[in-house]
Amino acid sequence: RDVAEKRLYITGTSSAHERFKDDDVFPAGVDANMGEGCVTTTWIQLNYQLFTLLGKMEFLNEMERSVYNHLLGAENPQNGNVSYYTPLIGKKPLRNTVCCCMSSIPRGISIIPQFADGTLENNPAILFYQPGVFKTTAGKTAVAFKTETRFPADGQVSITVDPAAETRFALQLRIPYWASDFTVSVNNEKQTVSSTGMATIDRLWKKGDKIDVRFDMPVKILDGGKSYPGHVALKRGPQVLAFDQTLNKVDGAKVSLSSESIRLNAADGALPENWKGTQAYQVDAMADGVPTKIVLVPYCDASQSGGVITTWLKQHEGMTK
């Protein structure tokens, strides 16, 4: 809890120069040697073990924060190179030299299927909304769940249930802590969702039953705190967004966010042909006092083409969070 509340970066990693800093101190530049890959992976492993033992969503929330941001952000999706330290400001030092993090980061990515889905109290549970097939048993009946989705690009998820025989069980669907307007329908019939952490659908399931999950991913403004006063970062759903200089014509150091209500629009055509990933958002901003538009991408995708990035942008005078 001390790490989560006082020593955890917004992207789900910790440490600078491989040590914990004082409370709420988060240097984010290249020279800070922050977010070592082994630290990120070990933080995920610790929370995985705690989640396995106690079943509390707070541990899964930390795994999600790390996976969708700092873990994936430490490996280049174009060539697999990794960075020993992965800054929030500056160019990610992605390379393929032999080091502990060259092992730890791919190892961290490889264990994601262990906690993306599973069972809680002997009932199937969908925890990370990712495309694929999850196979388990409900009682003594084998059952498969096929998930189709573009998440985290959007919050629309379709799950097809395929039990070996008709059987009754309580399927649990995670309600992300950051989500709004979370709804569940089974065969086009809306279900009652009364919990805040998990939605439980207890029914007789048959082959071909279709579950539709829908939720919005609001944008949250994060404060720069002690280390970056007068700065803010943006988070959409589970993903922290970043300014990548290669995708923008204005200097990131001159950009400030001026709107009290940040609106993200699809930045069509903003990504180069060889870019891995599809998410890009256009945001209204100011540059040297002049209105402009900037492009933001998920932190995990940023700097893949060698660009200088920043998650912390200046807060324009008069902006409220």
Side-chain angles (χ1 to χ4, degrees):
R1 189 167 302 283
D2 179 80
V3 174
E5 294 179 355
K6 301 176 182 177
R7 288 163 238 293
L8 196 70
Y9 284 86
I10 59 175
T11 49
T13 191
S14 191
S15 82
H17 295 282
E18 304 195 26
R19 299 189 300 274
F20 289 122
K21 305 294 287 184
D22 291 339
D23 292 4
D24 304 314
V25 174
F26 301 105
V30 175
D31 59 351
N33 285 358
M34 60 150 290
E36 190 215 9
C38 296
V39 171
T40 306
T41 295
T42 305
W43 176 244
I44 292 171
Q45 289 176 305
L46 172 63
N47 279 280
Y48 172 59
Q49 295 297 338
L50 290 170
F51 180 63
T52 300
L53 289 167
L54 303 175
K56 293 184 178 180
M57 285 298 115
E58 61 184 306
F59 305 121
L60 190 73
N61 293 344
E62 294 305 338
M63 289 188 278
E64 179 190 64
R65 190 190 322 276
S66 301
V67 165
Y68 280 100
N69 294 290
H70 222 87
L71 179 66
L72 296 178
E75 183 170 59
N76 192 326
Q78 294 191 23
N79 53 32
N81 289 350
V82 304
S83 53
Y84 194 108
Y85 305 110
T86 312
L88 302 188
I89 300 175
K91 180 180 176 180
K92 294 180 183 177
L94 298 158
R95 55 188 185 273
N96 61 2
T97 54
V98 176
C99 62
C100 54
C101 296
M102 174 64 80
S103 169
S104 288
I105 292 165
R107 178 166 52 88
I109 294 172
S110 73
I111 66 174
I112 294 172
Q114 294 183 23
F115 49 77
D117 303 299
T119 59
L120 290 174
E121 298 179 352
N122 299 316
N123 286 309
I126 307 295
L127 303 172
F128 276 29
Y129 293 104
Q130 286 297 307
V133 177
F134 164 50
K135 296 180 179 180
T136 186
T137 57
K140 296 182 179 180
T141 304
V143 59
F145 301 89
K146 181 181 180 180
T147 298
E148 298 173 281
T149 181
R150 295 178 61 246
F151 178 82
D154 62 43
Q156 301 183 41
V157 184
S158 175
I159 304 169
T160 303
V161 185
D162 184 14
E166 290 189 10
T167 185
R168 187 180 188 95
F169 58 86
L171 174 64
Q172 300 172 87
L173 301 165
R174 176 172 172 252
I175 305 174
Y177 68 94
W178 41 260
S180 62
D181 296 327
F182 185 96
T183 63
V184 179
S185 297
V186 178
N187 299 332
N188 296 317
E189 182 178 337
K190 191 172 182 179
Q191 306 294 300
T192 300
V193 177
S194 57
S195 174
T196 57
M198 298 290 288
T200 302
I201 312 299
D202 189 344
R203 58 175 282 147
L204 179 68
W205 296 94
K206 61 183 184 299
K207 185 179 180 64
D209 281 341
K210 186 177 180 182
I211 306 166
D212 289 301
V213 180
R214 299 287 184 271
F215 48 83
D216 291 336
M217 291 185 283
V219 178
K220 184 176 181 180
I221 300 173
L222 308 177
D223 188 271
K226 290 182 181 179
S227 298
Y228 294 93
H231 290 69
V232 294
L234 300 182
K235 185 178 182 181
R236 176 184 179 271
Q239 294 180 305
V240 173
L241 303 181
F243 177 100
D244 188 319
Q245 192 62 64
T246 60
L247 305 177
N248 290 274
K249 296 180 180 179
V250 296
D251 185 348
K254 298 179 179 179
V255 170
S256 62
L257 296 179
S258 57
S259 175
E260 295 182 10
S261 178
I262 300 296
R263 183 180 179 86
L264 302 182
N265 296 305
D268 298 329
L271 300 176
E273 186 176 351
N274 64 338
W275 188 270
K276 300 299 182 183
T278 60
Q279 293 174 259
Y281 305 101
Q282 190 177 75
V283 179
D284 290 331
M286 304 287 286
D288 282 340
V290 179
T292 187
K293 294 184 183 297
I294 60 172
V295 173
L296 301 178
V297 294
Y299 171 79
C300 62
D301 295 341
S303 201
Q304 63 178 267
S305 56
V308 173
I309 67 168
T310 183
T311 57
W312 294 115
L313 296 168
K314 292 178 183 177
Q315 174 185 345
H316 192 68
E317 185 176 352
M319 179 182 179
T320 60
K321 298 176 291 299

